Amino acid sequence: MIEVPKTYEEINEKIRSGEVVVVTAEEMVEIVAELGPNGASQKVDVVTTGTFGPMCSSGAVINVGHSTPRMKITHAWLNDVPSECGLAAVDLYIGATEVAEGDPLNRSHPGRFNYGGAHVIEDLVAGKDVRLRATAYGTDCYPRRELETWLNIRDLNEAYMLNPRNAYQNYNVAVNKFAERDIYTYMGVVKKGLGSANYCSAGQLSPLLNDPYHRTVGIGSRIFIGGAQGFVYWQGTQHDPTGARNELGVPKGGSATLGTVGDLKQMDPRYVVGVSMLGYGVSLALGIGTAIPILDEELAAQTGVSDAQITAPVIDYSHNYGLNEGEPLGHVSYAELKSGSIELEGKTVPTTPLSSYVRAREIAEKLKGWVKAGQFPLVPPVQALPTPESSPGFKPLNYRPVAEEGGE
Amino acid sequence: MSESRIVLHFPKTLLDRPVISKAVQHYNLSFNILRADITQEQEGLMVLGLEGEQDDIDAAVEWMREQGVRVQPLEKDVVRDDERCTHCGACVVICPTDALAMDLQTREVAFDAAQCVACGLCVPVCPPRAMSIHF
Ligand code: SF4
Ligand code: SF4
């Protein structure tokens, strides 16, 4: 069989005529195993992906509308969660990890962090009323100094998610090798004495692991976000495609990331869930998914990647991670992680995921329906994300002690 | 004769003292350890079945309380809000029994109330707060 590359236009035409073949990245594993990449690329037109897990670097822009008299808000709280207002008069940005004012935080360790920005966002999406409290210094054009009111998403002018970093392509596995107690991290409770291995990726279903060089996802790409359709607006922060890869091109550790945007008003609270990480803080469990057009054999092979072919570095979070020291304790595949335990330093270590594979699968299935129904047209990226060749990589902080060296 | 099931929380300082054996000897009870574990707060957790005269059981429980052991009856009700559970799996290594366990095929986390010893460990650990305990 010779390879017949497809174009976006051909695939969209098949969608219009109803002939399109769409499968999830999980189903694609078996198809590629059976037909080979070439055969699979002829049979399948689109592969859908999904992931659902805590994504801390998320938040929402809301415009609450102007009050009478007008007000240029300088401090604002949504359900007592401080909101960023260093923008125009009534534009607010609510960050997912912001914790409600008055929360005891980690003063009584491990803190519970029951409510924060992510919960505000979830409440908005769920159509619940949210209390706004705001203060201002007052100006000639914006005389009002205080405001307290209920808000509801239906009354807001704009309410959209604007997330600096989502959908990390691969991630660490956290273990606790050195601490004499369990540790409380953004990767969950990591049990002492290599008592647990905590991981957080959908593996073979994960968006960027199915298109490792992000050929089909870039600026302007349509995505599933929180139950709605949104877009990629930029590479995510800490996007670093320059690291080591396996023979399929799959990065062996954290790599590409996406900056994403989507309309809160279209979202579904099932895929936008405020979460509390014991002893760590608040985060937003968010659903993201992509639809990958199978343009050629290479993409068929890449979307056919299985959990056994994707590995993640095992990192000690009791010492090494916090201090930026040491080497990974090993590399394990997602197939091993998903078996319930891994072997590490002669020990059998139980594994615990933090991202929901059930919901990742649900997202990929939903996207399949959207693509088939012609509700999710596929377009090439307006501009590619930085590639291994063009990316400057990921730098640590250039620490310059202020006492010793003047600013430039 | 009666039987009662209790949950004991030992503070660190009591971990290596034979509180239980003393209590059962002195009050003429027989006992059955249903579950023993060291929890994340580094305290001892034990689920115990006690058999004997009801008065003796009550007196033994009272005596253990005086020694600094936190004693709870196992009649508490742990429930999961299935709408809220995302099947993330964060609870599965925390639960000391198989009450919360992941089905390796479907990747769903099942909650089996029959195996739950009402230790409460999953409640603060569950990120979307799907688990709750009612007294
Ligand atoms: S931690 Fe909570 S949400 Fe996650 S699987 Fe367990 S019960 Fe469900
Ligand atoms: S309370 Fe939670 S952690 Fe404890 S046994 Fe029951 S389900 Fe498991």
Side-chain angles (χ1 to χ4, degrees):
Chain A
M1 274 194 287
I2 46 151
E3 195 192 351
V4 193
K6 282 178 258 188
T7 64
Y8 278 88
E9 202 26 63
E10 281 162 358
I11 292 174
N12 283 323
E13 185 47 47
K14 281 186 159 184
I15 292 174
R16 278 189 289 273
S17 67
E19 287 164 43
V20 72
V21 176
V22 190
V23 302
T24 69
E26 196 177 27
E27 294 163 335
M28 190 65 168
V29 174
E30 276 167 40
I31 296 172
V32 171
E34 194 184 312
L35 303 179
N38 189 312
S41 74
Q42 306 197 19
K43 175 168 176 180
V44 175
D45 303 306
V46 181
V47 170
T48 59
T49 70
T51 185
F52 180 89
M55 303 196 196
C56 286
S57 211
S58 300
V61 174
I62 65 173
N63 178 287
V64 302
H66 286 279
S67 60
T68 307
R70 286 176 190 267
M71 182 178 189
K72 176 189 162 358
I73 296 175
T74 42
H75 292 284
W77 296 260
L78 294 164
N79 285 351
D80 292 327
V81 181
S83 167
E84 177 59 42
C85 27
L87 301 158
V90 292
D91 282 341
L92 306 178
Y93 185 80
I94 176 83
T97 69
E98 192 74 52
V99 180
E101 204 168 71
D103 188 288
L105 306 174
N106 262 341
R107 281 195 285 279
S108 165
H109 192 260
R112 303 254 172 143
F113 304 96
N114 283 326
Y115 197 87
H119 300 91
V120 173
I121 294 169
E122 181 187 344
D123 283 347
L124 283 168
V125 170
K128 292 189 187 156
D129 279 350
V130 167
R131 200 178 76 251
L132 168 70
R133 187 159 54 85
T135 61
Y137 49 79
T139 72
D140 290 340
C141 44
Y142 291 101
R144 186 172 192 137
R145 287 166 188 253
E146 274 178 14
L147 176 66
E148 197 165 345
T149 179
W150 291 106
L151 296 178
N152 191 289
I153 192 166
R154 61 170 184 263
D155 303 322
L156 301 175
N157 290 309
E158 286 80 21
Y160 58 92
M161 228 176 241
L162 186 69
N163 302 345
R165 177 170 73 247
N166 285 164
Y168 234 121
Q169 184 182 32
N170 213 344
Y171 208 72
N172 299 337
V173 179
V175 295
N176 174 358
K177 183 173 176 186
F178 302 110
E180 281 167 9
R181 60 168 178 84
D182 297 348
I183 57 169
Y184 301 88
T185 73
Y186 67 88
M187 297 289 286
V189 182
V190 192
K191 296 180 90 177
K192 66 173 176 175
L194 298 178
S196 71
N198 303 27
Y199 66 100
C200 190
S201 168
Q204 64 191 13
L205 256 182
S206 182
L208 290 169
L209 287 174
N210 280 284
D211 181 5
Y213 293 103
H214 26 89
R215 284 173 58 202
T216 67
V217 60
I219 294 172
S221 294
R222 187 183 298 272
I223 55 169
F224 175 108
I225 176 170
Q229 292 190 18
F231 297 92
V232 173
Y233 70 83
W234 204 250
Q235 69 266 27
T237 52
Q238 300 182 15
H239 173 85
D240 178 15
T242 63
R245 292 169 187 265
N246 72 11
E247 60 289 348
L248 278 167
V250 178
K252 294 182 173 172
S255 184
T257 66
L258 302 177
T260 63
V261 58
D263 188 358
L264 234 49
K265 295 189 181 202
Q266 310 294 326
M267 290 188 188
D268 178 346
R270 185 169 176 78
Y271 305 105
V272 183
V273 179
V275 293
S276 307
M277 307 306 292
L278 187 62
Y280 176 74
V282 171
S283 188
L284 182 72
L286 180 66
I288 298 274
T290 56
I292 301 170
I294 303 305
L295 304 171
D296 53 30
E297 194 178 321
E298 184 186 44
L299 279 166
Q302 289 166 336
T303 51
V305 72
S306 75
D307 282 331
Q309 298 167 300
I310 310 169
T311 61
V314 182
I315 307 282
D316 167 64
Y317 271 61
S318 61
H319 179 89
N320 293 357
Y321 181 83
L323 297 180
N324 268 325
E325 275 179 16
E327 291 295 313
L329 304 182
H331 292 266
V332 291
S333 75
Y334 282 94
E336 293 169 85
L337 287 164
K338 287 180 181 172
S339 75
S341 64
I342 58 169
E343 295 301 318
L344 194 66
E345 308 200 333
K347 258 198 95 174
T348 302
V349 183
T351 57
T352 190
L354 284 168
S355 82
S356 168
Y357 197 75
V358 177
R359 228 156 258 194
R361 206 183 252 156
E362 205 177 288
I363 289 165
E365 284 294 336
K366 243 191 153 86
L367 261 171
K368 208 158 108 176
W370 289 356
V371 173
K372 281 188 191 160
Q375 295 161 347
F376 199 89
L378 300 174
V379 289
V382 174
Q383 180 166 311
L385 303 178
T387 60
E389 294 75 38
S390 70
S391 167
F394 175 29
K395 297 190 279 283
L397 172 72
N398 177 16
Y399 175 58
R400 299 190 299 146
V402 172
E404 291 164 27
E405 202 183 328
E408 275 157 24
Chain B
M1 285 291 259
S2 51
E3 206 214 318
S4 83
R5 291 178 159 203
I6 53 174
V7 184
L8 307 177
H9 296 264
F10 294 85
K12 243 194 214 136
T13 49
L14 283 182
L15 273 181
D16 44 11
R17 298 204 0 224
V19 180
I20 295 171
S21 51
K22 270 192 182 161
V24 296
Q25 265 173 24
H26 189 265
Y27 293 97
N28 213 4
L29 308 172
S30 63
F31 72 105
N32 183 12
I33 296 177
L34 301 169
R35 182 71 52 175
D37 205 3
I38 304 286
T39 72
Q40 51 189 330
E41 276 86 25
Q42 320 301 312
E43 57 164 32
L45 171 94
M46 193 174 279
V47 181
L48 208 60
L50 288 177
E51 238 175 87
E53 296 302 327
Q54 188 60 48
D55 286 355
D56 289 335
I57 293 176
D58 293 346
V61 164
E62 196 45 47
W63 182 80
M64 285 192 280
R65 285 210 170 104
E66 279 163 18
Q67 307 308 305
V69 182
R70 198 147 55 81
V71 187
Q72 298 166 328
L74 192 54
E75 268 84 64
K76 282 179 304 182
D77 203 13
V78 173
V79 290
R80 183 170 76 176
D81 179 347
D82 288 333
E83 283 296 299
R84 197 78 201 141
C85 172
T86 62
H87 300 280
C88 69
C91 54
V92 298
V93 290
I94 299 300
C95 179
T97 75
D98 285 330
L100 287 162
M102 180 171 279
D103 180 316
L104 294 181
Q105 291 311 309
T106 65
R107 315 299 307 170
E108 283 183 7
V109 176
F111 173 53
D112 178 2
Q115 297 199 56
C116 173
V117 296
C119 67
L121 292 179
C122 55
V123 174
V125 165
C126 169
R129 297 283 183 261
M131 302 301 299
S132 58
I133 188 161
H134 301 277
F135 295 92

